[in-house]
Amino acid sequence: MYIQITDLAAKRLTESLNDQPGYFKVIYDLEGCGCNGVIAIIIVDELAALDAQIETNLVPFYVDPKQQLNLEQHMKLDTEENYPSFKLSSDSGVLSANVRVRDTRAVTAGSSGGSNACML
């Protein structure tokens, strides 16, 4: 599995780390999102034992193996200059046009860790 990350998306992801250690994890978030759920990126302190690595041109991302079915083998993560979220697409089409980053690390003071990926 591979995600091509555009330059602007890489810049925003790097900024979201706030110079703190953490891992990017792609999730299919169902909590508070209704039955359909949404794709989101969370920043975590530690990985789960079974998390699978997704190669990127930035840093590796991770995913729970049970959630890999919601993703494609080759994807692209992009963003727009004046839009707060990301777009995840593949050759099959757009997987999500509103991918949010949620920081769930304990070390981040004032993070949006309590927020929901479905909220704007």
Side-chain angles (χ1 to χ4, degrees), residues 50-51 95 109 115:
L50 297 177
D51 281 347
L95 301 172
S115 70

Side-chain angles (χ1 to χ4, degrees), residues 68-94:
Q68 283 181 315
L69 296 174
N70 299 312
L71 304 174
E72 301 281 337
Q73 281 300 314
H74 300 283
M75 298 169 283
K76 179 180 177 183
L77 188 67
D78 197 4
T79 190
E80 294 180 24
E81 190 68 40
N82 297 315
Y83 195 66
S85 63
F86 297 85
K87 177 173 76 172
L88 186 65
S89 60
S90 72
D91 290 341
S92 301
V94 176

